[in-house]
Amino acid sequence: MAHAVTPSFEQALDKYEPVLGLETHIELGTASKMFCPCPTAFGADPNTQVCPVCLAFPGSLPVVNEKAVEGAIRLGLALNCSIAPWGRFARKNYFYPDMPKNYQISQYDEPICVDGYLNVTVDTPEGPREFRVEIERVHMEEDTGKSSHVGGSTGRIHGASHSNVDYNRAGIPLLEIVTKPITGTDSLAPLVARAYAAELRDLVRSLGISDVRMEEGSMRCDVNVSINERGAGEWGTRSETKNVNSLRSVERAVRSEIERQAGVLDAGERVVQETRHFQEHLGRSTSGRSKEEAQDYRYFPDPDLVPVAPSAEWIEELRATLPELPAAQRARVTAEWNLSDTELRDLVNADAIGLVEATVVEGAPSAEARKLWLNELSRRATEQEVELSSLPITPAQVARVIALVAEGTLTNKLARQVVEGVLAGEGEPDAVVEARGLKVVSDDGALGAAVDEAIANNPDAADKVRGGKVAAAGALVGAVMKATRGQADAGRARELILEKLSG
Ligand SMILES: Nc1ncnc2c1ncn2[C@@H]1O[C@H](COP(=O)(O)OP(=O)(O)OP(=O)(O)O)[C@@H](O)[C@H]1O
Ligand SMILES: [Mg+2]
Ligand SMILES: [Mg+2]
């Protein structure tokens, strides 16, 4: 058997075309679980948020959480789906220690939302390009518990001496969003997958139904990839890479999988249908469970639950609660703020549109607001390794700093120090100005004293100005700025110098 040699991405794309499919799980931010009243807060002690229902005690009965159904419908509407007027939950039967019932309540052939789409934009050297990702379905299900494998020499599963199971997560409501096969992306496949995950995350966040934090697991992507020879007219066998937990990893998982499968086919072998696991430190996936014998989950309608039958009135009520969605918001701010493609992209990449807009609402001009968030504040967020929105400064405070610059109380340089003070917890911008003594010195009294001193200390320059060489005033202005540690109003200082020396 020929040994598979992994070609480069470009070589792979010369010969093969990729097909993608994304399955995304989103943990809904409801106060209680999907089928019982247990709380859902993250980070509680193990097995403290459990009850007979989510632990599957005999005789316990599940009851559907209406808020979760509401979230599913709102997402379906935002994804342009049809909402099913009637559907049932199904039992998906399999054994796993972190799933106490030995089945997961899910939806099978009667999902609540079907046939939608989400448009995503990818940057190419020729400019932005839009793709329409078709959504096959959105369905509701419950999360499993969480196993950890401990003890032993390595602390990893092979070396572990025993496993612990925490059922706090068991029964947390999940939505699974499944795309139809995505074709025609060619070499843009990794970027399309990433852009889809990013757009879906932003959409869900705008609906307020989940905090969609990939690194905390409240949004998890399974990435399906297959390739086929160009013009083959038939798709190849897919692999499914599980639980990819960052946007960058979604991109890398697609890219590395296209390369790997191309190597397999080049060597005359077959791609095996399997589950793979993305390894963050390797930048690619490794083989997991083979799915060649498609697992039989023996799905059947759950007899303990009533059907989900949202009325047309309820669906319309929920439609009316949809906020402005990210795509519409981008189009609007592009027009309102007169943005170029690049400026819009920078704002999107920094996740700053909402922050800038909130700052504008507080009265700041959009150009100034954009500058502060994208330069000074983005830099500090990167330094502190937090998201821009997690910096301890509010849009109202940013707007106040901008206003202080506009009214001449602060220079841009002083403004940066005020921002630093606010971030350090020294209080509101005005309090920081006061406490740090950052005001521009422009009142003639204080400034006059500094000017007199500069003239006394620089007699040569002063003589030149007296003799008509106005340019020599620059040295005196410099001395005033130095004496006031940059806080003088330079323009007013210059006027005072010329007044005093012309007499
Ligand atoms: N040949 C293919 N190449 C790439 N993606 C594919 C291909 N065929 C199907 N897909 C995509 O793979 C995904 C399959 O997800 P789906 O939830 O339907 O099934 P599953 O993975 O078998 O089930 P489970 O939810 O149990 O993991 C979909 O996004 C689908 O569009
Ligand atoms: Mg699936
Ligand atoms: Mg799957």
Side-chain angles (χ1 to χ4, degrees):
M1 188 163 50
H3 183 66
V5 178
T6 304
S8 72
F9 186 66
E10 289 69 27
Q11 285 167 338
L13 264 297
D14 278 345
K15 194 163 166 194
Y16 303 101
E17 31 190 27
V19 177
L20 304 175
L22 282 105
E23 298 162 76
T24 310
H25 286 95
I26 283 172
E27 255 180 23
L28 287 174
T30 52
S32 58
K33 290 188 180 179
M34 185 74 213
F35 300 110
C36 63
C38 286
T40 55
F42 184 75
D45 283 343
N47 299 309
T48 54
Q49 300 179 343
V50 292
C51 75
V53 173
C54 53
L55 290 177
F57 285 10
S60 65
L61 283 172
V63 176
V64 178
N65 181 339
E66 185 181 316
K67 274 283 170 199
V69 179
E70 186 178 302
I73 295 175
R74 293 178 75 233
L75 178 58
L77 292 172
L79 286 170
N80 311 289
C81 290
S82 316
I83 310 303
W86 195 89
R88 283 173 300 187
F89 284 98
R91 291 187 181 177
K92 180 179 183 179
N93 297 281
Y94 63 100
F95 172 78
Y96 208 75
D98 62 16
M99 199 179 56
K101 290 195 287 286
N102 287 335
Y103 61 82
Q104 180 188 24
I105 305 180
S106 182
Q107 289 191 297
Y108 182 48
D109 48 359
E110 298 167 309
I112 182 146
C113 315
V114 294
D115 292 336
Y117 62 86
L118 182 62
N119 293 333
V120 305
T121 305
V122 172
D123 281 319
T124 75
E126 294 81 46
R129 210 176 125 188
E130 194 167 272
F131 286 87
R132 170 162 294 192
V133 176
E134 310 261 0
I135 305 296
E136 173 147 332
R137 65 175 194 268
V138 179
H139 71 247
M140 297 177 282
E141 57 187 35
E142 56 175 343
D143 212 343
T144 58
K146 212 172 193 170
S147 308
S148 50
H149 309 289
V150 294
S153 55
T154 64
R156 292 160 66 196
I157 185 160
H158 301 297
S161 57
H162 61 283
S163 297
N164 292 334
V165 192
D166 174 9
Y167 291 113
N168 285 351
R169 203 180 68 180
I172 292 200
L174 289 183
L175 296 183
E176 180 175 339
I177 302 105
V178 183
T179 70
K180 291 188 178 156
I182 307 166
T183 58
T185 58
D186 277 328
S187 61
L188 294 175
L191 294 178
V192 171
R194 181 190 181 131
Y196 167 77
E199 187 69 22
L200 182 61
R201 181 198 59 182
D202 293 352
L203 184 72
V204 170
R205 196 191 286 145
S206 77
L207 295 171
I209 56 176
S210 167
D211 59 8
V212 275
R213 291 189 196 278
M214 292 188 82
E215 65 293 350
E216 280 177 14
S218 56
M219 168 167 164
R220 317 194 277 267
C221 285
D222 300 342
V223 180
N224 295 267
V225 176
S226 71
I227 59 172
N228 55 263
E229 253 182 70
R230 290 197 170 274
E234 204 179 315
W235 297 336
T237 305
R238 70 178 159 112
S239 69
E240 176 176 353
T241 303
K242 287 278 189 193
N243 291 338
V244 184
N245 65 2
S246 70
L247 295 178
R248 180 163 170 260
S249 297
V250 168
E251 180 181 337
R252 292 200 297 169
V254 171
R255 191 182 168 95
S256 62
E257 190 53 13
I258 289 173
E259 293 167 355
R260 185 192 69 83
Q261 292 185 11
V264 170
L265 295 183
D266 281 348
E269 293 166 26
R270 278 178 330 116
V271 172
V272 181
Q273 181 163 356
E274 64 180 352
T275 299
R276 301 180 63 84
H277 299 287
F278 191 73
Q279 308 290 345
E280 202 65 52
H281 62 291
L282 299 176
R284 61 179 174 82
S285 59
T286 54
S287 179
R289 177 164 50 94
S290 162
K291 267 201 176 176
E292 284 249 81
E293 259 102 280
Q295 201 168 350
D296 182 1
Y297 292 119
R298 294 178 298 123
Y299 280 103
F300 64 89
D302 192 313
D304 287 344
L305 285 160
V306 294
V308 185
S311 69
E313 293 76 43
W314 190 32
I315 294 171
E316 287 320 306
E317 265 169 43
L318 294 178
R319 195 191 300 279
T321 69
L322 294 185
E324 180 183 45
L325 301 178
Q329 184 188 44
R330 284 196 303 267
R332 179 176 54 75
V333 299
T334 300
E336 279 179 13
W337 303 344
N338 197 15
L339 301 176
S340 67
D341 283 348
T342 323
E343 287 168 329
L344 176 65
R345 193 191 48 213
D346 289 348
L347 282 171
V348 169
N349 289 345
D351 218 346
I353 292 183
L355 294 166
V356 171
E357 182 148 57
T359 310
V360 170
V361 168
E362 294 289 343
S366 71
E368 308 306 322
R370 258 162 44 220
K371 226 182 283 162
L372 206 52
W373 282 108
L374 289 186
N375 300 336
E376 180 65 8
L377 290 164
S378 283
R379 186 175 63 72
R380 290 181 183 273
T382 310
E383 263 169 29
Q384 296 174 24
E385 295 182 13
V386 297
E387 285 175 33
L388 200 53
S389 58
S390 306
L391 283 178
I393 189 166
T394 62
Q397 290 168 330
V398 173
R400 181 62 189 149
V401 171
I402 291 169
L404 288 169
V405 174
E407 71 189 36
T409 306
L410 295 176
T411 59
N412 282 323
K413 189 168 157 222
L414 294 173
R416 284 197 287 277
Q417 293 181 49
V418 176
V419 165
E420 181 186 83
V422 174
L423 291 174
E426 293 168 24
E428 292 299 316
D430 291 273
V432 176
V433 169
E434 217 41 61
R436 291 195 177 196
L438 294 177
K439 255 196 196 88
V440 168
V441 179
S442 61
D443 76 282
D444 290 356
L447 207 50
V451 166
D452 289 342
E453 201 183 309
I455 291 172
N457 292 341
N458 298 277
D460 291 351
D463 279 343
K464 283 183 189 156
V465 178
R466 281 195 196 94
K469 281 193 85 183
V470 176
L476 297 169
V477 175
V480 171
M481 295 309 284
K482 196 165 169 207
T484 57
R485 281 181 286 113
Q487 281 170 237
D489 178 334
R492 185 64 195 139
R494 189 182 170 81
E495 283 170 15
L496 281 179
I497 289 164
L498 295 178
E499 266 172 38
K500 284 179 193 269
L501 294 178
S502 69

